[in-house]
Coordinates of all heavy atoms in Angstrom, one line a residue:
M166 N 40.6 52.3 40.3 CA 39.3 52.7 39.9 C 38.3 51.5 40.2 O 38.7 50.4 39.9 CB 39.3 53.1 38.4 CG 37.9 53.4 37.9 SD 38.0 53.8 36.1 CE 36.6 54.6 35.9
S167 N 37.2 51.8 40.7 CA 36.2 50.7 41.0 C 34.9 50.9 40.1 O 34.7 52.0 39.7 CB 35.9 50.7 42.4 OG 35.2 51.9 42.8
L168 N 34.2 49.9 40.0 CA 33.0 49.8 39.3 C 31.9 49.7 40.3 O 31.9 48.8 41.1 CB 33.0 48.6 38.3 CG 31.8 48.3 37.5 CD1 31.5 49.4 36.5 CD2 32.0 46.9 36.8
Q169 N 30.9 50.6 40.2 CA 29.8 50.5 41.2 C 28.6 50.0 40.5 O 28.2 50.5 39.4 CB 29.5 51.9 41.7 CG 28.4 51.9 42.8 CD 28.3 53.3 43.4 OE1 29.3 53.8 43.8 NE2 27.1 53.8 43.5
V170 N 28.1 48.9 41.0 CA 26.9 48.2 40.3 C 25.9 47.9 41.4 O 26.2 47.7 42.5 CB 27.4 46.8 39.6 CG1 28.3 47.1 38.5 CG2 28.0 45.9 40.6
R171 N 24.6 48.0 40.9 CA 23.5 47.6 41.7 C 23.1 46.2 41.4 O 22.8 45.9 40.2 CB 22.3 48.6 41.5 CG 21.1 48.4 42.4 CD 20.1 49.4 42.2 NE 19.1 49.3 43.2 CZ 17.8 49.4 42.9 NH1 17.4 49.6 41.7 NH2 16.9 49.2 43.9
V172 N 23.1 45.4 42.4 CA 22.9 44.0 42.2 C 21.5 43.5 42.7 O 21.2 43.9 43.8 CB 24.0 43.1 42.9 CG1 23.8 41.6 42.7 CG2 25.4 43.5 42.4
K173 N 20.8 42.8 41.9 CA 19.5 42.3 42.3 C 19.8 40.8 42.6 O 20.4 40.1 41.8 CB 18.5 42.4 41.2 CG 17.1 41.8 41.6 CD 16.1 42.0 40.5 CE 14.8 41.4 40.9 NZ 13.8 41.4 39.9
F174 N 19.3 40.3 43.8 CA 19.6 39.0 44.3 C 18.4 38.1 44.0 O 17.2 38.6 44.0 CB 20.0 39.1 45.7 CG 21.2 39.8 46.0 CD1 21.3 41.1 46.2 CD2 22.4 39.2 45.9 CE1 22.5 41.8 46.4 CE2 23.6 39.7 46.1 CZ 23.6 41.1 46.3
P175 N 18.6 36.8 44.1 CA 17.5 35.8 44.0 C 16.6 36.0 45.2 O 17.1 36.5 46.3 CB 18.2 34.5 44.0 CG 19.6 34.7 43.5 CD 19.9 36.1 44.0
A176 N 15.4 35.5 45.2 CA 14.4 35.6 46.2 C 14.8 34.9 47.5 O 14.4 35.4 48.6 CB 13.1 35.0 45.8
D177 N 15.7 33.9 47.5 CA 16.1 33.3 48.7 C 17.3 33.9 49.4 O 17.8 33.3 50.3 CB 16.4 31.8 48.5 CG 17.4 31.5 47.4 OD1 17.8 32.4 46.6 OD2 17.9 30.4 47.4
Y178 N 17.8 35.0 48.9 CA 18.9 35.7 49.5 C 18.3 36.7 50.6 O 17.2 37.1 50.5 CB 19.7 36.5 48.5 CG 20.7 35.6 47.8 CD1 20.3 34.5 47.1 CD2 22.1 35.9 47.8 CE1 21.2 33.6 46.5 CE2 23.0 35.0 47.2 CZ 22.6 33.9 46.5 OH 23.4 33.1 45.9
P179 N 19.2 37.1 51.5 CA 18.7 38.0 52.6 C 18.4 39.5 52.2 O 17.9 40.2 52.9 CB 19.8 37.9 53.6 CG 21.0 37.5 52.9 CD 20.5 36.7 51.7
V180 N 18.8 39.9 51.0 CA 18.6 41.2 50.5 C 18.0 41.1 49.1 O 18.1 40.1 48.4 CB 19.9 42.1 50.5 CG1 20.4 42.3 51.9 CG2 20.9 41.4 49.6
I181 N 17.4 42.2 48.7 CA 16.8 42.2 47.3 C 17.8 42.9 46.4 O 18.1 42.4 45.3 CB 15.4 43.0 47.3 CG1 14.4 42.2 48.2 CG2 14.9 43.1 45.9 CD1 13.1 42.8 48.4
Y182 N 18.2 44.1 46.7 CA 19.2 44.9 46.0 C 20.3 45.4 46.9 O 20.1 45.6 48.0 CB 18.5 46.2 45.3 CG 17.6 45.9 44.2 CD1 16.2 45.9 44.4 CD2 18.0 45.7 42.9 CE1 15.3 45.7 43.4 CE2 17.2 45.6 41.9 CZ 15.8 45.5 42.1 OH 14.9 45.3 41.1
K183 N 21.5 45.5 46.3 CA 22.5 46.1 47.0 C 23.5 46.8 46.0 O 23.8 46.2 45.0 CB 23.3 45.1 47.9 CG 24.4 45.7 48.7 CD 24.9 44.7 49.8 CE 26.0 45.3 50.6 NZ 25.6 46.3 51.5
T184 N 24.0 48.0 46.3 CA 25.0 48.6 45.5 C 26.4 48.2 46.0 O 26.7 48.3 47.2 CB 24.8 50.2 45.5 OG1 23.5 50.4 45.0 CG2 25.8 50.8 44.6
I185 N 27.2 47.7 45.1 CA 28.5 47.1 45.5 C 29.6 47.7 44.6 O 29.3 47.9 43.3 CB 28.4 45.6 45.4 CG1 27.4 45.0 46.4 CG2 29.8 45.0 45.7 CD1 27.2 43.6 46.3
R186 N 30.7 48.0 45.1 CA 31.8 48.4 44.3 C 32.7 47.2 44.1 O 33.1 46.5 45.0 CB 32.7 49.4 45.1 CG 32.0 50.7 45.2 CD 32.9 51.8 46.0 NE 32.1 53.0 46.4 CZ 32.0 54.0 45.6 NH1 32.7 54.1 44.5 NH2 31.3 55.1 46.0
L187 N 33.1 47.0 42.8 CA 33.9 45.9 42.4 C 35.1 46.4 41.6 O 35.0 47.4 40.9 CB 33.0 45.0 41.5 CG 31.9 44.3 42.2 CD1 31.0 43.6 41.1 CD2 32.3 43.3 43.2
D188 N 36.1 45.7 41.6 CA 37.3 46.0 40.7 C 37.0 45.5 39.3 O 36.6 44.4 39.1 CB 38.5 45.2 41.3 CG 39.8 45.5 40.5 OD1 39.8 45.9 39.3 OD2 40.9 45.3 41.2
P189 N 37.1 46.4 38.3 CA 36.7 46.0 37.0 C 37.6 45.0 36.4 O 37.2 44.4 35.4 CB 36.7 47.3 36.2 CG 37.4 48.4 37.1 CD 37.4 47.8 38.4
S190 N 38.7 44.7 37.0 CA 39.6 43.7 36.4 C 39.2 42.3 36.9 O 39.8 41.3 36.5 CB 41.1 44.0 36.8 OG 41.3 43.9 38.2
L191 N 38.2 42.2 37.8 CA 37.8 40.9 38.3 C 37.1 40.1 37.1 O 36.4 40.8 36.3 CB 36.8 41.0 39.4 CG 37.3 41.5 40.8 CD1 36.1 41.7 41.7 CD2 38.3 40.6 41.3
T192 N 37.2 38.8 37.1 CA 36.4 38.0 36.2 C 35.0 37.9 36.8 O 34.8 38.3 38.0 CB 36.9 36.6 36.0 OG1 36.8 35.9 37.3 CG2 38.4 36.6 35.6
V193 N 34.0 37.5 36.0 CA 32.7 37.4 36.5 C 32.6 36.4 37.7 O 31.9 36.7 38.7 CB 31.7 36.9 35.4 CG1 30.4 36.5 35.9 CG2 31.7 38.0 34.3
L194 N 33.3 35.3 37.6 CA 33.3 34.4 38.7 C 33.9 35.0 40.0 O 33.4 34.8 41.1 CB 34.2 33.1 38.4 CG 33.4 32.1 37.5 CD1 34.4 30.9 37.3 CD2 32.2 31.5 38.3
E195 N 35.0 35.8 39.9 CA 35.6 36.5 41.0 C 34.6 37.5 41.6 O 34.5 37.7 42.8 CB 36.9 37.1 40.6 CG 38.0 36.2 40.3 CD 39.2 36.7 39.6 OE1 39.1 37.8 38.9 OE2 40.3 36.2 39.7
A196 N 33.9 38.2 40.7 CA 32.9 39.2 41.1 C 31.8 38.6 41.9 O 31.3 39.1 42.9 CB 32.4 40.0 39.9
I197 N 31.4 37.4 41.4 CA 30.3 36.7 42.1 C 30.7 36.3 43.5 O 30.0 36.5 44.5 CB 29.8 35.4 41.4 CG1 29.1 35.8 40.1 CG2 28.9 34.5 42.2 CD1 28.9 34.7 39.1
A198 N 32.0 35.9 43.7 CA 32.6 35.6 45.0 C 32.6 36.9 45.8 O 32.3 36.9 47.0 CB 33.9 35.0 44.9
A199 N 33.0 38.0 45.3 CA 33.1 39.3 46.0 C 31.7 39.7 46.4 O 31.6 40.3 47.5 CB 33.8 40.3 45.1
I200 N 30.7 39.6 45.6 CA 29.4 40.0 45.9 C 28.9 39.1 47.1 O 28.3 39.6 48.0 CB 28.5 39.8 44.7 CG1 28.8 40.9 43.6 CG2 27.0 40.0 45.1 CD1 28.2 40.6 42.3
G201 N 29.2 37.8 47.0 CA 28.9 36.9 48.1 C 29.5 37.3 49.4 O 28.8 37.3 50.5
Q202 N 30.8 37.7 49.4 CA 31.4 38.2 50.6 C 30.7 39.5 51.1 O 30.6 39.7 52.3 CB 32.9 38.5 50.4 CG 33.7 37.2 50.2 CD 35.2 37.5 49.9 OE1 35.5 38.5 49.3 NE2 36.0 36.6 50.4
A203 N 30.4 40.3 50.2 CA 29.8 41.6 50.7 C 28.5 41.4 51.4 O 28.1 42.2 52.2 CB 29.6 42.5 49.4
I204 N 27.7 40.4 51.1 CA 26.5 40.1 51.8 C 26.6 38.9 52.8 O 25.5 38.5 53.3 CB 25.3 40.0 50.9 CG1 25.5 38.8 50.0 CG2 25.1 41.3 50.1 CD1 24.2 38.3 49.2
N205 N 27.7 38.4 52.9 CA 28.0 37.2 53.9 C 27.2 36.0 53.5 O 26.5 35.3 54.3 CB 27.8 37.6 55.3 CG 28.7 38.6 55.8 OD1 29.9 38.6 55.5 ND2 28.2 39.6 56.6
V206 N 27.2 35.7 52.2 CA 26.4 34.5 51.7 C 27.4 33.8 50.7 O 27.9 34.5 49.8 CB 25.1 34.9 51.0 CG1 24.5 33.7 50.3 CG2 24.1 35.5 52.0
N207 N 27.5 32.6 50.7 CA 28.2 31.8 49.7 C 27.3 31.5 48.5 O 26.3 30.7 48.6 CB 28.8 30.5 50.2 CG 29.9 30.7 51.2 OD1 30.7 31.7 51.0 ND2 30.1 29.8 52.1
P208 N 27.5 32.1 47.3 CA 26.6 31.8 46.2 C 26.7 30.4 45.8 O 27.8 29.8 45.8 CB 27.2 32.8 45.1 CG 28.0 33.8 45.8 CD 28.5 33.1 47.1
A209 N 25.6 29.9 45.4 CA 25.6 28.5 44.8 C 26.4 28.4 43.6 O 26.7 29.4 42.9 CB 24.1 28.1 44.6
A210 N 26.9 27.2 43.3 CA 27.8 26.9 42.1 C 27.0 27.3 40.8 O 27.7 27.6 39.8 CB 28.2 25.5 42.1
D211 N 25.7 27.3 40.8 CA 25.0 27.5 39.5 C 24.7 29.0 39.3 O 24.0 29.4 38.4 CB 23.8 26.7 39.3 CG 22.7 27.2 40.3 OD1 23.0 27.5 41.5 OD2 21.5 27.1 39.9
I212 N 25.2 29.9 40.2 CA 24.8 31.3 40.1 C 25.7 32.1 39.0 O 26.8 31.8 38.9 CB 25.0 32.0 41.5 CG1 24.0 31.5 42.5 CG2 25.0 33.5 41.4 CD1 22.6 31.9 42.2
G213 N 25.0 32.9 38.3 CA 25.8 33.8 37.3 C 25.3 35.2 37.3 O 24.3 35.5 38.1
L214 N 25.9 36.0 36.6 CA 25.5 37.4 36.5 C 24.8 37.6 35.1 O 25.2 37.1 34.1 CB 26.7 38.4 36.6 CG 27.4 38.5 37.9 CD1 28.6 39.5 37.8 CD2 26.5 39.0 39.0
F215 N 23.7 38.4 35.2 CA 22.8 38.6 34.1 C 22.5 40.0 33.9 O 22.2 40.7 34.9 CB 21.5 37.8 34.3 CG 20.5 37.8 33.3 CD1 20.7 37.1 32.1 CD2 19.4 38.5 33.5 CE1 19.7 37.1 31.1 CE2 18.4 38.5 32.4 CZ 18.6 37.8 31.3
L216 N 22.6 40.5 32.7 CA 22.1 41.9 32.3 C 20.7 41.8 31.8 O 20.5 41.4 30.7 CB 23.1 42.5 31.2 CG 24.4 42.9 31.7 CD1 25.4 43.2 30.5 CD2 24.4 44.0 32.7
P217 N 19.8 42.1 32.6 CA 18.4 42.0 32.2 C 17.9 42.9 31.0 O 17.1 42.5 30.2 CB 17.5 42.3 33.4 CG 18.5 43.1 34.4 CD 19.8 42.7 34.0
E218 N 18.5 44.1 30.9 CA 18.1 45.0 29.8 C 18.6 44.4 28.5 O 18.0 44.6 27.5 CB 18.7 46.4 30.0 CG 18.1 47.1 31.2 CD 18.9 48.4 31.7 OE1 19.9 48.7 31.0 OE2 18.5 48.9 32.7
D219 N 19.7 43.7 28.5 CA 20.3 43.1 27.3 C 19.9 41.6 27.1 O 20.2 41.0 26.1 CB 21.8 43.2 27.2 CG 22.3 44.7 27.2 OD1 21.5 45.6 26.8 OD2 23.4 44.9 27.5
K220 N 19.3 41.2 28.1 CA 18.9 39.7 28.2 C 20.2 38.8 27.8 O 20.1 38.0 27.1 CB 17.8 39.4 27.3 CG 16.5 40.0 27.7 CD 15.4 39.5 26.9 CE 14.1 40.0 27.5 NZ 13.3 41.0 26.8
A221 N 21.3 39.2 28.6 CA 22.5 38.5 28.3 C 23.2 38.1 29.6 O 23.2 38.8 30.6 CB 23.5 39.4 27.6
C222 N 23.7 36.9 29.6 CA 24.5 36.4 30.7 C 25.9 36.8 30.5 O 26.5 36.8 29.4 CB 24.4 34.8 30.7 SG 25.2 34.2 32.1
L223 N 26.6 37.1 31.6 CA 28.0 37.5 31.5 C 28.8 36.2 31.6 O 28.6 35.3 32.6 CB 28.4 38.4 32.7 CG 27.6 39.7 32.8 CD1 28.1 40.6 33.9 CD2 27.5 40.5 31.4
Q224 N 29.8 36.0 30.8 CA 30.6 34.8 30.7 C 31.5 34.8 31.9 O 32.2 35.7 32.2 CB 31.4 34.7 29.4 CG 30.5 34.6 28.2 CD 31.3 34.6 26.9 OE1 32.5 34.6 27.0 NE2 30.6 34.6 25.8
D225 N 31.5 33.6 32.6 CA 32.3 33.5 33.8 C 33.8 33.9 33.8 O 34.3 34.4 34.8 CB 32.2 32.0 34.3 CG 30.9 31.6 34.8 OD1 30.0 32.5 35.1 OD2 30.6 30.4 34.9
T226 N 34.5 33.7 32.7 CA 35.9 33.9 32.6 C 36.2 35.3 32.1 O 37.4 35.6 32.1 CB 36.5 32.9 31.7 OG1 35.9 32.8 30.4 CG2 36.4 31.5 32.4
R227 N 35.3 36.0 31.6 CA 35.6 37.4 31.1 C 35.7 38.4 32.2 O 35.0 38.3 33.3 CB 34.5 37.8 30.1 CG 34.7 37.2 28.7 CD 33.7 37.7 27.8 NE 33.8 39.1 27.5 CZ 32.9 39.8 26.7 NH1 32.0 39.1 26.0 NH2 33.0 41.0 26.5
Q228 N 36.5 39.4 32.1 CA 36.6 40.5 33.0 C 35.4 41.4 33.0 O 34.8 41.6 31.9 CB 37.8 41.3 32.8 CG 39.1 40.6 33.1 CD 40.4 41.5 33.0 OE1 40.3 42.5 32.2 NE2 41.4 41.2 33.8
L229 N 35.0 42.0 34.1 CA 33.9 42.9 34.2 C 34.1 44.1 33.2 O 33.2 44.6 32.5 CB 33.6 43.4 35.5 CG 33.2 42.4 36.6 CD1 33.1 43.1 38.0 CD2 31.9 41.8 36.2
S230 N 35.4 44.6 33.1 CA 35.7 45.7 32.2 C 35.4 45.5 30.8 O 35.3 46.4 30.0 CB 37.2 46.1 32.4 OG 38.0 45.1 32.1
S231 N 35.3 44.2 30.4 CA 35.1 43.9 29.0 C 33.6 44.1 28.6 O 33.2 44.0 27.4 CB 35.5 42.4 28.6 OG 34.7 41.5 29.3
Y232 N 32.7 44.3 29.6 CA 31.3 44.6 29.3 C 31.0 46.0 29.5 O 30.8 46.5 30.6 CB 30.5 43.8 30.3 CG 30.5 42.3 30.1 CD1 31.4 41.4 30.8 CD2 29.7 41.7 29.1 CE1 31.4 40.1 30.6 CE2 29.8 40.3 28.9 CZ 30.6 39.5 29.6 OH 30.6 38.2 29.4
T233 N 31.0 46.8 28.4 CA 30.8 48.3 28.5 C 29.4 48.5 29.0 O 29.2 49.5 29.7 CB 31.1 48.9 27.2 OG1 30.3 48.3 26.2 CG2 32.6 48.9 26.8
Q234 N 28.5 47.7 28.7 CA 27.1 47.9 29.0 C 26.8 47.8 30.5 O 25.8 48.3 31.0 CB 26.1 47.0 28.2 CG 26.2 45.6 28.5 CD 27.2 44.9 27.5 OE1 28.3 45.3 27.3 NE2 26.8 43.7 27.0
I235 N 27.8 47.2 31.3 CA 27.6 47.0 32.7 C 27.5 48.4 33.4 O 26.9 48.6 34.4 CB 28.6 46.1 33.3 CG1 28.1 45.5 34.6 CG2 29.9 46.8 33.6 CD1 29.0 44.4 35.2
T236 N 28.2 49.4 32.9 CA 28.3 50.7 33.6 C 27.0 51.5 33.3 O 26.6 52.4 34.0 CB 29.5 51.5 33.1 OG1 29.4 51.7 31.7 CG2 30.8 50.9 33.5
Q237 N 26.3 51.1 32.2 CA 25.0 51.8 31.9 C 23.8 51.1 32.4 O 22.7 51.7 32.5 CB 24.9 51.9 30.3 CG 26.0 52.5 29.6 CD 26.3 53.9 30.0 OE1 25.3 54.7 30.2 NE2 27.5 54.4 30.2
A238 N 23.9 49.9 32.9 CA 22.8 49.1 33.4 C 22.2 49.7 34.7 O 23.0 50.1 35.5 CB 23.2 47.6 33.6
Q239 N 20.9 49.7 34.8 CA 20.2 50.1 36.0 C 20.6 49.1 37.1 O 20.8 49.5 38.3 CB 18.7 50.1 35.9 CG 18.2 51.3 35.0 CD 16.7 51.3 35.0 OE1 16.1 50.5 35.6 NE2 16.2 52.4 34.4
Y240 N 20.7 47.9 36.8 CA 21.2 46.8 37.8 C 21.6 45.6 37.0 O 21.3 45.5 35.8 CB 20.1 46.5 38.8 CG 18.8 45.9 38.2 CD1 18.7 44.5 38.1 CD2 17.8 46.7 37.8 CE1 17.6 43.9 37.6 CE2 16.6 46.1 37.3 CZ 16.5 44.7 37.2 OH 15.4 44.2 36.6
I241 N 22.3 44.7 37.7 CA 22.6 43.4 37.2 C 22.0 42.4 38.1 O 21.7 42.7 39.3 CB 24.1 43.2 37.1 CG1 24.9 43.3 38.4 CG2 24.8 44.1 36.0 CD1 26.3 42.9 38.4
E242 N 21.7 41.2 37.6 CA 21.1 40.2 38.4 C 22.0 39.1 38.7 O 22.8 38.6 37.8 CB 19.9 39.6 37.7 CG 18.7 40.6 37.6 CD 17.5 40.0 36.9 OE1 17.4 38.7 36.9 OE2 16.6 40.7 36.5
L243 N 22.0 38.6 40.0 CA 22.7 37.5 40.4 C 21.6 36.4 40.4 O 20.7 36.5 41.2 CB 23.2 37.7 41.8 CG 24.2 36.6 42.3 CD1 25.5 36.7 41.6 CD2 24.4 36.9 43.8
K244 N 21.7 35.4 39.5 CA 20.6 34.4 39.4 C 21.1 33.1 38.9 O 22.2 33.0 38.4 CB 19.5 34.9 38.6 CG 19.8 35.2 37.1 CD 18.8 36.0 36.4 CE 17.5 35.3 36.2 NZ 16.5 36.0 35.4
S245 N 20.3 32.1 39.1 CA 20.6 30.7 38.7 C 20.8 30.6 37.2 O 20.0 31.1 36.4 CB 19.6 29.8 39.2 OG 19.8 28.5 38.7
K246 N 21.8 29.8 36.8 CA 22.0 29.5 35.4 C 21.0 28.5 34.9 O 20.8 28.3 33.8 CB 23.4 29.0 35.2 CG 24.4 30.0 35.4 CD 25.8 29.4 35.2 CE 26.9 30.4 35.6 NZ 28.2 29.7 35.5
K247 N 20.3 27.8 35.8 CA 19.3 26.8 35.5 C 17.9 27.3 35.1 O 17.2 26.6 34.6 CB 19.2 25.8 36.7 CG 20.4 25.1 37.0 CD 20.2 24.2 38.2 CE 21.5 23.4 38.6 NZ 21.3 22.7 39.8
Q248 N 17.7 28.6 35.4 CA 16.4 29.1 35.0 C 16.2 29.2 33.5 O 17.2 29.5 32.8 CB 16.2 30.5 35.6 CG 16.1 30.5 37.2 CD 16.0 31.8 37.8 OE1 16.1 32.9 37.1 NE2 15.6 31.9 39.0
K249 N 15.0 29.0 33.0 CA 14.8 29.0 31.6 C 14.6 30.4 31.0 O 15.2 30.8 30.1 CB 13.6 28.1 31.2 CG 13.8 26.7 31.7 CD 14.8 25.9 30.7 CE 14.8 24.5 31.1 NZ 16.0 23.8 30.9
K250 N 13.6 31.1 31.5 CA 13.1 32.4 31.0 C 14.1 33.5 31.4 O 14.3 33.7 32.6 CB 11.7 32.7 31.4 CG 11.2 33.9 30.7 CD 9.7 34.1 31.1 CE 9.2 35.4 30.5 NZ 7.9 35.8 31.0
D251 N 14.6 34.3 30.4 CA 15.4 35.4 30.7 C 16.5 35.1 31.7 O 16.7 35.9 32.7 CB 14.6 36.6 31.2 CG 13.7 37.2 30.1 OD1 14.0 37.0 28.9 OD2 12.7 37.8 30.5
S252 N 17.2 34.0 31.5 CA 18.2 33.6 32.4 C 19.6 33.5 31.9 O 19.7 33.7 30.7 CB 17.8 32.2 33.0 OG 18.0 31.3 32.0
C253 N 20.4 33.0 32.7 CA 21.9 32.9 32.2 C 22.0 31.7 31.3 O 23.0 31.6 30.7 CB 22.8 32.7 33.4 SG 23.0 34.3 34.3
C254 N 21.0 30.9 31.1 CA 21.0 29.9 30.2 C 20.7 30.4 28.7 O 21.0 29.8 27.7 CB 19.9 28.8 30.5 SG 20.3 27.9 32.0
T255 N 20.1 31.6 28.7 CA 19.8 32.1 27.4 C 20.8 33.3 27.1 O 20.7 34.3 27.7 CB 18.4 32.7 27.4 OG1 17.5 31.8 27.8 CG2 18.0 33.2 26.0
I256 N 21.7 33.0 26.2 CA 22.8 34.0 25.9 C 22.4 34.6 24.6 O 22.3 33.9 23.5 CB 24.2 33.4 25.9 CG1 24.4 32.8 27.3 CG2 25.2 34.4 25.5 CD1 25.7 32.1 27.4
M257 N 22.3 35.9 24.5 CA 22.0 36.6 23.2 C 23.2 36.6 22.3 O 24.3 36.8 22.8 CB 21.5 38.0 23.5 CG 20.2 38.0 24.3 SD 18.8 37.4 23.4 CE 18.5 38.7 22.3

């Protein structure tokens, strides 16, 4: 079974949005690497996954399947953990 997610990318990436299928047993870090492979870009070390509707950053070591809200989200964001406003630095 795969998880289909719509990913919003940072402004400096070659795409804005892309729908990607991921294995739900992947950790967030593994998912970031898989997303990078899907668009042929190596994500920077400070990149994280963020649920904008919940204003929550996904923890790097948790499996995607542990986030039930990821299946309901319109999209998830791949963004820098260094950003201040609504970023992966702000964990609800």
